[in-house]
Amino acid sequence: MSTSSQFLSRRSFGKLAAAGVAAAAGVGSLAACSTGGGGTASANAPLRIMAINHVWSQAIKRRLKQFEDRVGREVSMTLLTADQLSNSYNVKLNASGTDVDVMMVRALQDQLLFGRNGWLTDLTDLVKGDTAYDWPDFQDAPREASVTAGKVLSVPVVTERPALYYRKDLVEGLGGPPGTLDKLMEMSLELADRGKGFFGYVGRGQRNGAVSQWSSFLYSFGGDFMVEGESGIGSPEAVAAYAYYGTLLNRAGPPGAINMSLEQAMPIFAQGKAAFYVDADAIYSNFLDPKISTVGETVGFAPFPAGPAGARPHNIPSWSLGINRFSLLRDEAWEFIRWASGTEMVAQLQAAGIPGARRSAWSDPKTLAAFPSELAETMRINAKRGIGYDRPQVLQVGRSRDIVGRPLVAGILGEQVAPVARDANAEFNDFLTRDNRHRES
């Protein structure tokens, strides 16, 4: 049998197998039930995946031969930077392009806009109708973030939460890591020695970039970005969260904090110049790498501290998979998502240190072995308490973060937060009025 004949046989078998799985689960064909994308793909057309250049997508790319053998179709996977990915989607999807099938997307940054534009396939019947896929196995917060206007438009594949990174050698005599925000403030001020270049706390302070990490402080003070469709950033709870975070960086943090995002804040802790740091748990390996860190032997990991409303960290899908509504290979695209986000693959990748969204992976000691035990427990606790978004859920996310971040900057500079928050609250309400108008247009 020739090579081409063998490939055609595998393809035919793969299509029959996929159809059998769908039928057994009571799930119909996407090609039959989904609008968008006309025509038929060539039998030799590859399934095309566009993804962020990330440890998850790199790991999946190494395993693609498994999937190709499963469905009998070649796969082309393109890895891009976040900016390149966004630009490519804008160009291709505005033109109703069929040259991308599976899309790696940021559910909290892109999905609302993509859904409003009609760029993503509705996956609701597929994820809910396929009992073997087990949609309820996904954690509540990331699963809820996958829904826009009542439709499941993406499936989470990478998750993250905030971790409190701390210096074990510095807190041993202080009763261990702080369990409350009050205690975090007290210990940060006590340990700071800014005259000698040592800081009690380091964190993001840049106007736009700090919002996602500040969100857990906001929630733990009892606030939210929006309340019943209107701005919530002028509430007493939000003002208290702004004032707290501003004071923490103003009195215990490094100079120039208002210019710091992840790239500037992380090295300060990694080089042993700060006692505490709150940021994504996904970056933990940077502190264990002796090539870039001096704190590998002393770094500890703790859950997000409790505020007046308790400990309410975010637990978000940082990256998800969706299907281009104009794709001519939507059935094959769903088979890829089903494979890449299935229980077996999530367990494999999480065992390799890539945090997924399935409960089953988080309850299996084997899948947690790649993480330091203290970090694994921190992740599990934060996930259980987590809220599924870390930024305003609007069409123009970047603009909203600029508005929300204004009072943060004022607090870090030592200015009065309340008047700035009032002004930002009015600006955010105006923004929301326009944003809602665009959603409905």
Side-chain angles (χ1 to χ4, degrees):
M1 185 180 288
S2 69
T3 301
S4 59
S5 297
Q6 290 173 337
F7 183 70
L8 286 172
S9 296
R10 290 200 309 271
R11 178 184 300 119
S12 300
F13 175 79
K15 285 185 175 179
L16 287 170
V21 168
V27 179
S29 165
L30 269 174
C33 69
S34 177
T35 58
T40 304
S42 162
N44 294 318
L47 181 72
R48 282 167 287 205
I49 302 165
M50 292 187 67
I52 184 75
N53 189 6
H54 183 280
V55 289
W56 181 90
S57 41
Q58 292 163 5
I60 287 291
K61 193 168 188 176
R62 292 193 294 270
R63 293 166 168 82
L64 281 179
K65 184 65 165 58
Q66 299 174 22
F67 180 74
E68 290 176 330
D69 289 343
R70 173 174 171 162
V71 299
R73 187 180 291 273
E74 294 180 346
V75 177
S76 172
M77 189 172 190
T78 302
L79 304 186
L80 302 170
T81 67
D83 287 343
Q84 289 170 335
L85 196 63
S86 292
N87 291 337
S88 294
Y89 286 155
N90 283 331
V91 171
K92 293 177 183 295
L93 301 178
N94 269 312
S96 303
T98 62
D99 55 342
V100 56
D101 303 301
V102 180
M103 303 162 55
M104 198 168 180
V105 297
R106 298 168 295 180
L108 299 176
Q109 190 79 14
D110 306 320
Q111 184 168 298
L112 193 59
L113 178 63
F114 287 10
R116 183 251 188 192
N117 290 346
W119 291 347
L120 291 171
T121 297
D122 182 359
L123 306 177
T124 309
D125 290 343
L126 292 167
V127 299
K128 293 185 176 181
D130 187 343
T131 55
Y133 183 63
D134 197 4
W135 185 234
D137 185 42
F138 285 80
Q139 296 170 338
D140 290 344
R143 191 178 67 226
E144 290 166 5
S146 301
V147 178
T148 295
K151 299 176 181 178
V152 178
L153 297 183
S154 66
V155 170
V157 290
V158 186
T159 61
E160 70 176 47
R161 298 135 295 274
L164 174 62
Y165 299 98
Y166 70 95
R167 288 277 299 278
K168 292 187 287 187
D169 55 322
L170 298 179
V171 306
E172 283 180 355
L174 300 175
T180 67
L181 290 177
D182 283 345
K183 192 66 175 176
L184 174 62
M185 179 72 77
E186 177 187 323
M187 294 173 71
S188 296
L189 294 174
E190 181 177 347
L191 292 170
D193 191 350
R194 299 203 295 175
K196 295 183 178 180
F198 186 80
F199 311 104
Y201 181 86
V202 64
R204 303 187 197 186
Q206 186 189 59
R207 177 171 168 173
N208 187 299
V211 169
S212 59
Q213 294 306 314
W214 175 71
S215 66
S216 294
F217 293 84
L218 173 66
Y219 305 148
S220 297
F221 269 87
D224 207 334
F225 295 109
M226 293 182 284
V227 179
E228 297 181 352
E230 296 188 352
S231 172
I233 65 173
S235 70
E237 295 82 4
V239 172
Y242 279 128
Y244 174 91
Y245 194 77
T247 300
L248 189 61
L249 278 172
N250 176 264
R251 296 183 58 194
I258 61 170
N259 298 313
M260 291 184 179
S261 193
L262 171 67
E263 293 78 7
Q264 295 77 36
M266 182 176 66
I268 292 177
F269 186 84
Q271 291 302 308
K273 297 179 181 178
F276 300 106
Y277 175 43
V278 169
D279 214 303
D281 53 22
I283 67 171
Y284 78 94
S285 59
N286 289 280
F287 304 125
L288 304 180
D289 184 350
K291 295 178 182 177
I292 59 175
S293 172
T294 65
V295 299
E297 298 297 322
T298 59
V299 62
F301 313 95
F304 190 81
R312 304 188 68 206
H314 61 261
N315 177 30
I316 64 163
S318 49
W319 288 99
S320 302
L321 296 178
I323 298 176
N324 175 17
R325 193 171 67 93
F326 310 109
S327 165
L328 303 181
L329 293 171
R330 293 193 296 279
D331 286 335
E332 290 87 345
W334 166 243
E335 275 301 303
F336 174 82
I337 292 178
R338 193 174 183 277
W339 170 76
S341 63
T343 52
E344 182 178 343
M345 185 60 70
V346 172
Q348 284 184 34
L349 298 186
Q350 190 155 305
I354 305 171
R358 284 188 175 271
R359 301 177 200 270
S360 53
W362 285 101
S363 61
D364 185 348
K366 291 181 293 186
T367 68
L368 299 177
F371 305 105
S373 58
E374 188 183 36
L375 176 62
E377 184 62 15
T378 288
M379 289 173 154
R380 294 206 314 157
I381 291 172
N382 282 339
K384 185 176 181 180
R385 299 168 174 172
I387 292 172
Y389 55 96
D390 63 351
R391 65 203 73 185
Q393 297 299 278
V394 295
L395 292 174
Q396 299 180 51
V397 179
R399 176 59 186 142
S400 74
R401 288 171 64 149
D402 279 339
I403 298 170
V404 170
R406 279 181 53 206
L408 276 177
V409 172
I412 295 168
L413 292 174
E415 300 172 359
Q416 290 292 318
V417 164
V420 182
R422 282 196 300 270
D423 186 51
N425 187 67
E427 184 180 4
F428 194 37
N429 265 325
D430 288 342
F431 167 88
L432 291 174
T433 299
R434 295 192 301 272
D435 192 77
N436 289 330
R437 191 180 302 132
H438 287 307
R439 287 199 218 187
E440 295 166 1
S441 64

